Amino acid sequence: ILHTIGAKSGELRETPLVALVEGDDLYVFASKGGAPDNPDWYYNVVAHPDCTVEVGTETVDVRARVLEGDERETVWSTQKVLAPGFAEYEQKTARVIPVVLLERR
């Protein structure tokens, strides 16, 4: 569960997400099921990158960073192999689905 501060409201928001875990790094994907626009949580982490995430029984302070270029493509390609539904989301939309790294603080 990703805990963010609303970009417009300034209120605490909680969003359950599917994450790709690699070591201490968590990657989340602003797929919104292939909708034409990004999900609200994406705008929240862009506006307020310091947030927290619940992973199992642990709550971790993280800093969100939107991946670009080859770095994004590598993680996105891995996610599509591990969870093929994400490839379907990509086919449903014309936008590039953002990949966000949640780095432990």
Side-chain angles (χ1 to χ4, degrees), residues 18-80:
V18 172
L20 170 61
V21 180
E22 290 189 341
D24 283 342
D25 293 330
L26 298 168
Y27 300 94
V28 290
F29 309 91
S31 61
K32 198 175 178 183
D37 56 337
N38 292 321
D40 291 342
W41 69 259
Y42 171 77
Y43 298 107
N44 296 347
V45 299
V46 168
H48 305 284
D50 290 332
C51 45
T52 59
V53 64
E54 293 178 48
V55 181
T57 60
E58 184 179 15
T59 300
V60 180
D61 292 329
V62 294
R63 175 168 279 251
R65 180 170 63 89
V66 178
L67 301 184
E68 307 272 338
D70 290 343
E71 186 179 29
R72 179 213 170 266
E73 189 56 39
T74 298
V75 175
W76 180 242
S77 294
T78 299
Q79 181 64 7
K80 290 189 297 182

